[in-house]
Amino acid sequence: MSNLTGKTALVTGASRGIGRAIAQRLASDGARVAIHYGSNESAARETIEAIQAAGGAAFPVRADLAVASGVDTLFDTLTAHLDGAPLDILVNNAAIMTYEATLDEATPEQFERLFAINARAPFFILQRALPVLPDGGRVVNISSGVTWFAIPQTVYAMTKGALNAMTRSAANTLGARGITVNTVSPGITDTEMNAWLHETDEASSGIAAITALDRVGRSPDIADVVAFLASDDARWVTGQTLEVNGGLYLG
Ligand code: NDP
């Protein structure tokens, strides 16, 4: 377990699912964590209470990233909490999946919303974070394996491809400051985004059957890898994509 004592982290979409697990793991490593969420206040509160019950520190940051002003809203709250301290770790995790937005059915409105939350927001959050990220800071972008395996939801996959491109380019730009920028790409992970996993008996076993480690992913499986990238142990890793999927589609 790494020591993030004295550091502050922002995890977007930390009210639920993978983001919650990342926030809990970074807090247990000693970081004070900004728990960003869009609208689910009670879920954000649950994340904070779990962190505090375990002896960690966290505070809420509400901002709807579907609207362009959401990034300003986020930084208004975050800056007040930072009170002049640096933001050591940024995890761009918040995203939506729109199952109906397939190649033949996606509407311009769905396209705009997916790109706004999944690609525009991470870019402008990183841009706004640049003055408060210290030399040696850490940025982790949560992408998806759908950048290399095909799904019907073309627009969602496109947003994640954009995020991968952002990682490489930003890593090169920020390397001179010792800031690392990496991508973690989960495979199929049991969260509310994948409610279908619980809709039939076969869904989970079908995913396990195409996964070398023979089960569906869990949020802490992803969070532990993000914690590694946020730690000093990962100081020589930048511009990379880590596929964290238990060996999905290995053959
Ligand atoms: P969830 O649907 O469980 O949680 C999504 C999070 O994003 C919530 O905290 C939610 O906040 C926030 N969010 C959604 N819309 C907005 C918005 N408009 N403004 C601000 N915040 C918003 O997702 P997962 O935990 O499953 O996914 C986390 C990340 O992992 C995403 O980037 C996803 O694309 C990626 N991923 C997930 C996989 C999986 O199998 N689950 C596989 C591959 C990648 P609120 O609670 O307020 O709604």
Side-chain angles (χ1 to χ4, degrees):
M1 188 168 287
S2 75
N3 187 356
L4 301 180
T5 305
K7 295 189 186 299
T8 302
L10 165 65
V11 182
T12 67
S15 45
R16 298 184 280 119
I18 292 169
R20 173 184 282 182
I22 294 169
Q24 288 183 287
R25 173 61 206 263
L26 296 181
S28 79
D29 286 357
R32 178 173 66 130
V33 186
I35 305 298
H36 163 264
Y37 66 103
S39 60
N40 197 333
E41 195 172 343
S42 61
R45 200 178 315 120
E46 275 178 37
T47 305
I48 291 171
E49 284 169 0
I51 287 172
Q52 290 172 341
F59 58 88
V61 178
R62 180 178 186 144
D64 179 5
L65 299 178
V67 295
S69 61
V71 176
D72 292 334
T73 307
L74 190 161
F75 273 86
D76 284 349
T77 307
L78 179 67
T79 305
H81 280 275
L82 286 176
D83 195 24
L87 177 68
D88 303 279
I89 300 158
L90 164 62
V91 182
N92 274 313
N93 166 80
I96 56 164
M97 155 66 107
T98 306
Y99 282 94
E100 315 83 75
T102 56
L103 182 59
D104 49 349
E105 298 282 347
T107 64
E109 292 74 22
Q110 289 168 336
F111 187 100
E112 296 293 343
R113 186 171 173 84
L114 277 155
F115 264 88
I117 298 168
N118 296 9
R120 182 184 68 191
F123 174 83
F124 285 104
I125 290 170
L126 175 56
Q127 185 185 69
R128 284 290 298 272
L130 290 178
V132 286
L133 272 169
D135 291 2
R138 296 282 188 270
V139 179
V140 181
N141 298 315
I142 308 300
S143 181
S144 171
V146 301
T147 56
W148 61 266
F149 65 81
I151 56 167
Q153 289 76 20
T154 312
V155 186
Y156 174 80
M158 289 168 70
T159 66
K160 294 302 189 178
L163 205 55
N164 289 7
M166 182 177 98
T167 289
R168 288 183 58 80
S169 157
N172 204 35
T173 302
L174 298 177
R177 291 176 53 192
I179 296 170
T180 69
V181 186
N182 289 290
T183 296
V184 166
S185 277
I188 296 155
T189 311
D190 189 358
T191 70
E192 287 171 33
M193 188 177 273
N194 287 333
W196 54 269
L197 280 169
H198 300 282
E199 282 167 8
T200 64
D201 289 342
E202 298 76 35
S204 285
S205 57
I207 297 304
I210 55 168
T211 303
L213 293 176
D214 200 26
R215 65 168 172 82
V216 173
R218 302 172 190 129
S219 294
D221 297 329
I222 314 304
D224 290 349
V225 176
V226 174
F228 162 67
L229 289 171
S231 77
D232 186 57
D233 287 347
R235 63 195 169 275
W236 198 236
V237 182
T238 197
Q240 303 304 306
T241 298
L242 276 176
E243 303 291 340
V244 185
N245 59 26
L248 184 65
Y249 292 126
L250 278 187

